């Protein structure tokens, strides 16, 4: 991947963010703007990560990092109660 392609992707996401923010500013809901910013940032990262071979997250990885240890902790708590 060349630097020009990376710049073009960045400009595209920045343009998409600017146009969306202009449209959402008229409606006046801050939560919508926050969600839109998070969504565009996530999409931009996932696109760049795929192109540059950076690590990407997935629902399965989230399960392994967060939900599985919490489930094990809850089972350990319940083991003492049964």
């Amino acid at each position: 991947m060349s630097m020009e392609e990376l710049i073009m992707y960045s400009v595209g996401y920045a343009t998409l963010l600017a146009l969306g923010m202009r449209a959402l500013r008229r409606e006046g809901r801050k939560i919508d703007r926050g969600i839109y910013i998070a969504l565009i940032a996530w999409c931009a990262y996932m696109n760049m990560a795929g192109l540059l071979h950076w690590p990407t997250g997935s629902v399965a990885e989230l399960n392994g990092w967060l939900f599985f240890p919490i489930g094990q902790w809850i089972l350990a708590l319940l083991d003492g109660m049964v």
Side-chain angles (χ1 to χ4, degrees):
M1 164 171 237
S2 69
M3 186 59 113
E4 291 83 20
E5 289 175 324
L6 189 61
I7 291 171
M8 289 304 292
Y9 281 120
S10 299
V11 168
Y13 278 111
T15 303
L16 187 62
L17 181 64
L19 292 174
M21 289 302 292
R22 184 187 312 164
L24 288 173
R25 225 178 262 133
R26 290 184 214 135
E27 295 180 19
R29 292 184 58 190
K30 291 182 181 180
I31 188 71
D32 290 340
R33 286 183 270 177
I35 292 171
Y36 183 74
I37 290 169
L39 181 64
I40 293 296
W42 177 255
C43 291
Y45 174 77
M46 292 300 286
N47 188 13
M48 299 297 175
L51 294 171
L52 298 173
H53 306 291
W54 292 345
T56 59
S58 68
V59 175
E61 288 179 4
L62 181 62
N63 182 42
W65 293 338
L66 181 66
F67 300 124
F68 185 74
I70 290 174
Q72 293 298 314
W73 176 71
I74 291 172
L75 286 174
L77 286 176
L78 292 176
D79 191 36
M81 296 178 149
V82 176

